[in-house]
Amino acid sequence: NTTGLQVPEHRNSVCAGHTPSLLIFRDGKTSDSPIECVGKFEFTPEAIEAACGFSRTVPGTTAVGVDVLLDGHIAARLRHNKGSGLRRDIETWVAILDKDLTQIRRCAKIGNGTSTNGVPMEPGPDGSTIFYVATETELIAMRYQPTQNKIERLSAVPVDYRSRTGTTPTLLTSGAYGWVITVDARCAVGNVFTGSITCDAEDTSPSRLVAIPRPLGIGPTAMIELPNFIDTVENSPAVLGNDIVVSNYSGYTPDGNKDGVPHRATGIAKLSWDERQRRFRLDWTNPGIQFSGVPTISASANMVYGSGTEPDGKTYFYGLRLRTDSAGPAGA
């Protein structure tokens, strides 16, 4: 952390320091010391320049996401600031770290702009990992081949997201159809601590579920409008089979301001991919419930799980029925 803030119990450990780092933890030996810091990889300007060819990263956000690839290597996304002075011209890169976290094996540019929180992945040919990254303007497919130590940008589809989605793409596979599911929100949470929401002043049309066929570019992008109460969509749609669940997002508080007016972000919507009719459809909504988080779907329980804070100030953990069954209607 550039301000020098550190986890107090690790100030005297191997994790101490002021360089942006990937910290490595393990369970402690006793219940009184449940977590130990055992190592770190420092993203020093020298290490980044040697592997990637640049040293100017965005302060405080050098590594914006760390993902374990299917072969066990670590993929860390870096933000490179090409601008000068107050001007920012940001690129997103990916650095592949070896499994024991001693060096950057390979580095490659993903695209222009900032990337989103996480990446979904699937196996590619010859033991490779294909992963998908969303920026403000594109959905990008990347592939890492560990035996050749090769990282490449496979393809990209332009997507002009409003208000910066922040979304982590989600994969959906149904029969012969493969999709990358993202969300285009008409509003965005500008401050996660106050729940301050800002909406697009020009485009007030509904938020949308955006489905991009994969491999990227093999067919047209599909879109479906979300209910009007879904305005600040949570990072990741939850997917199980053909079912998709999307909820509102309000930062760490359900009560904030939307364009300066007091506002409470609530609501959850369930959609699905109809394989027979080859279209996405809206199945049910529950607009009143506070469900601010990435939902979790349980197939065996026929439930959508999540939590939220209600007007009484208490936080609740909810299970909503995914589909209608003998116990009651869907969405209840």
Side-chain angles (χ1 to χ4, degrees), residues 222-241:
M223 295 189 187
I224 179 173
E225 292 185 349
L226 296 172
N228 204 45
F229 61 81
I230 300 285
D231 49 20
T232 57
V233 183
E234 167 54 43
N235 289 345
S236 306
V239 169
L240 178 67

Side-chain angles (χ1 to χ4, degrees), residues 54 68 107-108 120 195 216 273 323:
F54 64 84
V68 182
C107 193
L216 298 189
W273 163 251
R323 302 188 189 95

